[in-house]
């Protein structure tokens, strides 16, 4: 059973191994390479949660090692909006961890942060992330053309949203492509 928990200093090595993966390093605005940087990142997760700005969690299977990260960032308190993001270690992909984490962070956001609408986006050439979004009940809303810029290359982004009033059930994955 998957669960969310706070990041702990003892997770620094696992965090560094995630950022050593080319895909995550390529997309991340900050690439962690030292234990000091990993510990600072973990500390920032706590500070942001205490400020009520973003709530980031380590994803685990029971008491096992960290499988990934999921977070909800408050984008507008006035409108009850949040942004969901996630990543999963390459050695843990394909087992449902990302979908479970997205479902759990939605439950948390709706129950604990008073958010009404959660949004997320993914590169169109990342159908796995699209399937995660749909599996967590995020409805497709459109395409933002050339929104993301990674390594000087622009990518179209599929946008999805889930409302507090939406059912949590999975949606058909046909819109995700291959």
């Amino acid at each position: 059973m998957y669960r969310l928990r706070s990041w702990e200093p003892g997770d620094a090595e696992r965090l560094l191994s995630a950022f050593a993966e080319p895909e995550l390093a390529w997309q991340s605005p900050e690439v962690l390479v030292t234990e000091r940087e990993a510990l600072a990142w973990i500390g920032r997760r706590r500070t942001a949660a205490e400020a009520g700005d973003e709530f980031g969690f380590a994803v685990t299977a029971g008491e096992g090692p960290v499988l990934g990260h999921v977070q909800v960032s408050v984008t507008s308190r006035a409108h009850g909006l949040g942004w969901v993001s996630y990543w999963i270690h390459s050695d843990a992909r394909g087992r449902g961890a990302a979908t479970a984490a997205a479902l759990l962070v939605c439950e948390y956001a709706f129950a604990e942060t008073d958010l009404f609408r959660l949004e997320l986006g993914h590169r169109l050439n990342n159908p796995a992330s699209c399937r995660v979004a749909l599996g967590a009940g995020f409805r497709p809303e459109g395409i933002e053309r050339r929104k993301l810029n990674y390594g000087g290359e622009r990518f179209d982004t599929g946008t999805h949203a889930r409302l507090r009033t939406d059912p949590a059930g999975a949606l058909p994955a046909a819109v995700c492509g291959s």
Side-chain angles (χ1 to χ4, degrees):
M1 170 160 37
Y2 296 107
R3 69 182 191 98
L4 307 182
R5 66 164 173 79
S6 297
W7 281 91
E8 302 293 335
D11 299 324
E13 185 176 320
R14 187 72 170 148
L15 183 59
L16 288 173
S17 72
F19 277 90
E21 295 177 9
E23 180 78 6
L24 184 57
W26 175 67
Q27 296 181 97
S28 182
E30 174 187 26
V31 178
L32 310 175
V33 265
T34 68
E35 182 178 10
R36 183 177 179 172
E37 291 170 339
L39 293 172
W41 185 92
I42 290 167
R44 286 192 301 278
R45 302 290 73 76
R46 292 183 186 278
T47 302
E50 289 167 1
D53 297 329
E54 85 184 17
F55 306 89
F57 301 96
V59 180
T60 66
E63 299 299 320
V66 172
L67 303 176
H69 173 75
V70 66
Q71 75 180 33
V72 60
S73 303
V74 177
T75 56
S76 172
R77 281 279 178 211
H79 298 289
L81 305 178
W83 183 263
V84 171
S85 57
Y86 43 82
W87 53 259
I88 299 294
H89 276 270
S90 59
D91 63 10
R93 291 183 193 140
R95 300 188 311 217
T99 301
L103 283 164
L104 289 168
V105 85
C106 288
E107 289 175 19
Y108 175 86
F110 293 141
E112 303 296 329
T113 68
D114 202 32
L115 295 176
F116 180 79
R117 176 185 166 90
L118 301 177
E119 302 169 336
L120 64 77
H122 61 85
R123 292 185 332 271
L124 290 185
N125 67 344
N126 185 354
S129 192
C130 180
R131 288 189 297 273
V132 168
L134 294 172
F138 282 80
R139 299 174 190 280
E141 292 195 331
I143 296 172
E144 294 178 277
R145 297 176 309 130
R146 301 179 63 119
K147 180 179 183 179
L148 301 175
N149 182 4
Y150 297 127
E153 186 177 354
R154 306 254 6 146
F155 294 90
D156 291 348
T157 303
T159 60
H160 298 252
R162 182 167 162 203
L163 308 180
R164 182 185 304 154
T165 54
D166 288 342
L171 301 168
V175 298
C176 295
S178 59

